[in-house]
Each structure stands twice: as structure tokens, then as C-alpha cells.
Amino acid sequence: MSFSLIFCSGESIFSDASDTTEVVFGVYNDITKFGDGSGSGTGSSTITDNGDGTFTQSNSGSIIVSETSGYENYTVNLTAKVLSNNGYGIYLRMQDTSSTNPDGYVFQIDFGIGTRGGYRAVIFPGDSSIVANRMCTAGDTENPHCIDGDKQSYNIWHDVKIIVTGNNYKCYINNKLIYDFTDSTYSGGSVGIRTWNNGDNVTFKNFTVTQN
């Protein structure tokens, strides 16, 4: 595995409007699109439809985004805000969707890293292969989850975009490239959402999966 950590202020993450090859796999704006069809996932994790186009994931476990099984190359987009606890993660190429901690890749917005929070890229099983931690530090102006260059803050919306192509993974927050790494452990699998604390963890909206 090779890994590079790149920060690119102002880099556009959107495709050229002239590109007509884009195929949307799914627009996930309905509770039936998550978990078992009613918003329930593994462990005690659940998703609630808030009735205003947003969804809240609570408690510990993982929830599959339906109809994504076997997907290989795709882009995940969502807008999300952390409500409490230590944050959330987006599963990529998720394997055993019945497991509380499935094998696969996870990009985590993790308030529990260090004293200010940050990001974590993980290759499961377990936490045995952490690609890298990106921690908030004092004066950090490149981390969009850090407020005033100090630490992560709750209840602030952020745009998340993750591009999966071949063995390459690019993870963006608010148009800024946070991670760019390569790994060949998994070549396909589902998209999912992970939380690891009790209570309401994250609210999200505008969740889409697009073919690359």
C-alpha cells in the first residue's frame, strides 16, 4: 500500500458540466434506502427520517446504503454535521454488511482523535490498519472541521466527497483534499455509514452515489 497526504485549498471537486458520461447509481432521500429498509442497521445503529430532507444516525453500529452491493468505482457525496460524541465514518467497498464492524475502507470524521479531533482513514478488519490520522492542531487553517484553526465543532454542515477509482481513494471536505491514498485490499463492495457511540451522532442530507 502507498499513501500520500495532500492538502489542496480551492481545488474543484466537481466534474466538467460538458461530461455526459456520469451515471447516478442512487439518490438516497428515503428511509427505505438505508439498512434493512426501515433505517435499522447492525448493532444498535438506526437512521431516522427527520421529515425535512435530512436523516439522523444514532447509536453504535453500521448501516448499509441499499443497492450499492458489488459497486466498484464510484463517488459518494453528502452534506453532514456531527451532533455529539465522536463523529461518523463513511464505509467504502464494505464487505460483510451484517457485521457491526464490517471489513472495508472507512473515512472517519473523528472528534476523538487527540485533543482537537481530526480525520482517520481505516482499512478494516478491526482498527488493525490505520492508514493515517489527520489531527487538528492550533493554527490549522487547512482543516475545514476545525474552527478558528483550533478544534472541531458540532452542528456545522460540511460537504463530503469521496472518489473511489481502481485502487485509489480521494477524500474531500468542503472542496479540500484531505486524503489521497492507494490500496488493493478490496476491489468492490457496498457504501455504508458508521457510528460508534450511543445517542444522536450525525445528521446528513443530499446523499448520492455516482458511477465513475
Side-chain angles (χ1 to χ4, degrees):
M1 180 185 73
S2 63
F3 173 79
S4 58
L5 190 61
I6 302 173
F7 300 93
C8 301
S9 299
E11 178 181 341
S12 174
I13 62 174
F14 300 101
S15 60
D16 190 326
S18 63
D19 183 2
T20 59
T21 62
E22 186 176 79
V23 177
V24 177
F25 284 146
V27 178
Y28 299 95
N29 55 7
D30 188 302
I31 196 68
T32 62
K33 304 283 188 180
F34 298 100
D36 63 355
S38 66
S40 293
T42 64
S44 58
S45 187
T46 60
I47 285 181
T48 301
D49 186 339
N50 298 319
D52 59 358
T54 69
F55 300 85
T56 296
Q57 183 157 335
S58 306
N59 301 325
S60 179
S62 58
I63 292 183
I64 186 175
V65 178
S66 66
E67 303 171 352
T68 61
S69 177
Y71 283 10
E72 294 182 1
N73 300 313
Y74 48 78
T75 297
V76 179
N77 281 284
L78 69 150
T79 301
K81 61 180 177 180
V82 177
L83 303 177
S84 64
N85 298 318
N86 285 339
Y88 68 99
I90 301 299
Y91 260 105
L92 310 165
R93 294 179 171 171
M94 186 180 185
Q95 302 299 301
D96 181 5
T97 58
S98 64
S99 172
T100 301
N101 292 304
D103 293 351
Y105 303 97
V106 185
F107 174 52
Q108 293 184 179
I109 290 80
D110 195 333
F111 283 33
I113 299 176
T115 59
R116 295 179 171 89
Y119 307 103
R120 174 171 285 173
V122 183
I123 305 172
F124 281 92
D127 281 322
S128 58
S129 183
I130 297 175
V131 176
N133 289 329
R134 164 59 171 150
M135 299 182 188
C136 294
T137 57
D140 184 354
T141 60
E142 291 297 319
N143 187 333
H145 266 279
C146 293
I147 303 304
D148 298 326
D150 183 30
K151 63 181 180 180
Q152 292 174 319
S153 185
Y154 295 118
N155 296 305
I156 296 178
W157 291 106
H158 294 283
D159 294 323
V160 180
K161 186 182 185 87
I162 307 173
I163 302 173
V164 181
T165 306
N167 65 354
N168 181 250
Y169 301 81
K170 291 182 172 67
C171 307
Y172 297 83
I173 303 285
N174 293 349
N175 287 11
K176 292 183 178 180
L177 183 58
I178 304 299
Y179 286 133
D180 182 350
F181 68 92
T182 59
D183 182 80
S184 58
T185 304
Y186 305 110
S187 60
S190 302
V191 176
I193 310 169
R194 176 179 188 250
T195 50
W196 52 95
N197 296 110
N198 291 327
D200 295 339
N201 291 289
V202 59
T203 290
F204 62 88
K205 59 185 177 179
N206 304 328
F207 200 118
T208 64
V209 181
T210 305
Q211 181 180 10
N212 292 345

